[in-house]
Amino acid sequence: MTLTSPASYYRDTAKVRLADSPRQAGQQRYDVCVIGGGITGCSAALHLAERGYSVVLLEAHELGFGASGRSGGQILPGLGTEMTTVERALGRERARDIWEMSREAVRLTAELVEHHAIPCDLNWGYLHAAVKPRHVRELCEFQAYMARDYGYTALNWLEGDALRAHVVTDAYPGALYESEGGHLHPLNYTLGLARAAQQAGVTIHEHSPALAVRHGQPATVVTQQGEIVTDFIVVGANAYLGRLLPELEGRLMRAANYIVATEPLGDTRAAQVLPCNDALSDANFVLDYYRLSADKRLIYGGEVSYGGREPRGLRQRIDAKIARLFPLLKGVGIDYRWGGDVAITLNRAPDFGRLGNNVYYAQGYSGHGMALAGLAGKVLAETIAGQSERFDVFAAMPHRRFPGGERLRIPLLVLATNFYKLRDRF
Ligand SMILES: Cc1cc2nc3c(=O)[nH]c(=O)nc-3n(C[C@H](O)[C@H](O)[C@H](O)COP(=O)(O)OP(=O)(O)OC[C@H]3O[C@@H](n4cnc5c(N)ncnc54)[C@H](O)[C@@H]3O)c2cc1C
C-alpha cells in the first residue's frame, strides 16, 4: 500500500458534512453491500438506494480515502485507452456505445452535482496540449477521427493567440480545446455523492474494511467486528482492493501518481496562467496535468511510480516544470504535496465484471475514472435491478492479467513505462 496520507489540500478544503458513519459491528442483513467509498461505491450505493434497495457501504478508511479524494479532478469523456483499442476488441458499433456512455458519464457528473447541490467548483473547458510536433499531428488526426467515426465535434484546434487566450505559455505548439471536459474538487464531489447516498437511506460505515467475502446466496462480507449477510455485493475498491478477492488478482496494477498545490496565486497571476479556468493535460504518455483550484492555486499533477515509493527529486522536477511553463511562477510556494494510487489494466480499458451470480465489480479506469466511475455506479445499480445490457457492453471488453507473476509484474511495468518516457522525449 502507498503510505502517502490522504491529508491534502482537498481534506483541508472539504466542505461537505455527512451524518455519522460508525464502524460496522454485529450481524446485519442488507439487499446490497457496497465495498469502497470512492466515486464507484458512493454512486452505486446512491443509485441502488434510489431504486429501493437496502444498502450498506463499507469504507476501509475514510470516504474518499482512495483515488477519488486525491485526484487531479479532471472530468473528461473517453477512456484511459484509445477508442481504437475498444474497436479492435469489440467492433466499431460497441465502441460507439462505450464512447456515448463515456459522454453520458460527464453529463451525469454535472447532473449529480446540480441535483444534490454538491459544492465542488465544477467548471467547463479542457485543453489537450501538444508538447512536440509529433503531438500536433496526432491530436489533429484524433480530432478528425472523432468527428468522422464518432460524430464528436466538441474538439477545436487552437494555436498562437487563440491558444494563449486559454493558457499563457510558449511551451505548446497547439492544443485541442474540448468543451465537454472540465474539472472539479474531487473530494467534495465524492463526499457529496456519499451525503446524497446517506440521504437516500444508505448506511455508511467508515474504518470498516471488508476482510473476507464468503460467496453464496446470500453472500457474507466479514468485517473486524461483525458480518453482513447480503443478496448482492458491489466492489468499488479499485487500486486499493488488496487481496480481498483472489479471483481479481493480477488484473490491475497499482501506479502511484503525484500532485502539488501551490500557494494561492491571486486573481492577477492566475489569469496570467489559465485565463479561462480550463483544465489541461499534455499529450505525453506519462502525462502532466493541471488546473486552478477555486482559491486560485495551481494544482499540478504528473509523475508515476510503482511499488509505493515516491520518486526521488519529485518536488524539484515539478518545480522546474512549473517554472518552465510559466516563468512568472518561478519559485512559487508549494503548500501541499500528495500522491494516490491509480489502478491500471493491461489494455487501459476499464474492467467491469461479475463473480458468480451476485458479486459485481467495476475498476481499472487507468487514470480516467473521475466521470466514468459515477456512471459505473449507476450501471451497476441497473444491473442488480435486472437491466444488465449496458454493464454487459463494458464487461465484454477482454482483459488479460499482467505478465510476470507477483515478482516480475512491477519490474516489467517499470521497463515498459521507461520505454514510453524515453519516447516522450522525441
Ligand atoms: C493522483 C491521482 C490523480 C488522478 N487524476 C484523475 C483525473 O484528473 N481525472 C480522472 O478522470 N481520473 C483521475 N484519477 C483516477 C480517478 O481518481 C479514479 O479512476 C477514480 O477516482 C476511481 O474511483 P473508485 O471509486 O473506483 O476508486 P477509489 O476512489 O480508489 O476508491 C476505492 C475505495 O475502496 C476502499 N477500499 C479498498 N479496499 C476495501 C475493503 N476491503 N473494504 C472497504 N473499503 C475498501 C479504499 O479505501 C478506497 O476509499 C486520478 C487518480 C489519482 C490517484
Side-chain angles (χ1 to χ4, degrees):
M1 258 214 170
T2 302
L3 295 176
T4 317
S5 151
S8 74
Y9 166 69
Y10 297 136
R11 288 274 160 201
D12 284 357
T13 50
K15 278 190 193 155
V16 180
R17 300 280 163 257
L18 285 111
D20 273 357
S21 315
R23 282 170 207 272
Q24 195 284 333
Q27 197 185 63
Q28 297 174 316
R29 180 73 169 90
Y30 285 92
D31 295 336
V32 189
C33 175
V34 176
I35 299 174
I39 297 169
T40 303
C42 292
S43 169
L46 167 63
H47 287 100
L48 283 159
E50 284 177 344
R51 286 175 175 268
Y53 290 91
S54 67
V55 184
V56 62
L57 184 151
L58 299 177
E59 166 51 49
H61 305 278
E62 291 162 350
L63 291 161
F65 171 87
S68 303
R70 309 176 186 220
S71 96
Q74 313 218 356
I75 301 289
L76 275 177
L79 309 179
T81 189
E82 309 285 333
M83 292 314 295
T84 46
T85 312
V86 186
E87 287 176 21
R88 276 195 300 275
L90 303 179
R92 176 70 57 76
E93 205 177 316
R94 287 282 91 89
R96 281 209 191 104
D97 292 340
I98 288 183
W99 169 255
E100 284 307 325
M101 283 194 272
S102 81
R103 288 179 76 191
E104 180 188 335
V106 173
R107 291 194 299 275
L108 176 69
T109 308
E111 281 160 27
L112 290 168
V113 167
E114 194 188 336
H115 186 69
H116 299 289
I118 302 176
C120 61
D121 316 311
L122 176 59
N123 200 75
W124 295 110
Y126 198 95
L127 294 160
H128 305 263
V131 182
K132 43 187 61 97
R134 169 169 66 83
H135 295 154
V136 172
R137 193 185 64 246
E138 288 168 1
L139 286 170
C140 290
E141 283 169 6
F142 174 67
Q143 179 191 18
Y145 158 72
M146 290 308 293
R148 186 188 64 234
D149 290 0
Y150 289 80
Y152 186 61
T153 53
L155 296 165
N156 280 307
W157 181 251
L158 301 177
E159 55 187 32
D161 288 346
L163 178 57
R164 284 182 73 86
H166 288 262
V167 57
V168 189
T169 175
D170 296 325
Y172 307 127
L176 274 183
Y177 175 78
E178 184 160 17
S179 53
E180 291 193 17
H183 60 98
L184 49 65
H185 186 302
L187 181 61
N188 277 329
Y189 173 58
T190 308
L191 296 178
L193 291 179
R195 182 182 64 187
Q198 275 185 334
Q199 287 167 352
V202 175
T203 303
I204 297 181
H205 295 296
E206 291 181 298
H207 305 288
S208 302
L211 299 180
V213 168
R214 287 204 295 269
H215 292 280
Q217 282 172 325
T220 304
V221 178
V222 180
T223 68
Q224 272 156 351
Q225 297 176 42
E227 57 180 38
I228 290 161
V229 178
T230 182
D231 296 326
F232 297 96
I233 297 174
V234 166
V235 185
N238 213 31
Y240 296 83
L241 175 68
R243 300 210 149 143
L244 182 65
L245 291 164
E247 301 93 321
L248 297 183
E249 269 182 37
R251 296 177 76 92
L252 294 181
M253 187 67 83
R254 297 172 70 140
N257 195 256
Y258 300 90
I259 302 186
V260 303
T262 67
E263 63 191 352
L265 302 180
D267 289 346
T268 311
R269 269 197 306 177
Q272 289 168 336
V273 172
L274 288 163
C276 301
N277 197 11
D278 302 317
L280 181 147
S281 65
D282 69 37
N284 282 326
F285 182 81
V286 180
L287 55 83
D288 284 358
Y289 51 90
Y290 54 89
R291 67 185 181 89
L292 294 171
S293 61
D295 60 355
K296 305 282 162 53
R297 297 167 188 273
L298 187 68
I299 309 283
Y300 192 101
E303 305 275 330
V304 285
S305 75
Y306 304 94
R309 220 171 292 135
E310 186 179 296
R312 248 185 279 144
L314 173 83
R315 163 75 198 269
Q316 290 77 356
R317 273 202 303 284
I318 293 188
D319 280 353
K321 285 174 174 180
I322 292 175
R324 206 177 313 127
L325 285 168
F326 306 109
L328 87 158
L329 297 187
K330 191 168 167 29
V332 69
I334 302 289
D335 284 353
Y336 298 89
R337 177 168 112 214
W338 65 94
D341 285 345
V342 175
I344 51 178
T345 59
L346 197 56
N347 60 13
R348 286 174 165 66
D351 180 17
F352 288 29
R354 21 164 106 65
L355 305 173
N357 290 334
N358 59 353
V359 179
Y360 295 89
Y361 63 88
Q363 59 180 15
Y365 306 99
S366 304
H368 204 101
M370 282 305 299
L372 202 56
L375 185 79
K378 186 176 180 186
V379 167
L380 285 160
E382 287 169 14
T383 308
I384 286 175
Q387 298 147 0
S388 67
E389 296 82 359
R390 284 153 41 101
F391 180 86
D392 290 336
V393 172
F394 279 105
M397 192 71 201
H399 285 281
R400 296 207 339 260
R401 281 169 213 279
F402 280 86
E406 216 172 309
R407 279 184 50 232
L408 286 180
R409 241 173 238 151
I410 291 179
L412 282 175
L413 197 62
V414 171
L415 210 65
T417 307
N418 284 344
F419 166 77
Y420 283 110
K421 268 189 187 162
L422 200 67
R423 199 168 161 259
D424 282 343
R425 295 202 186 158
F426 301 101

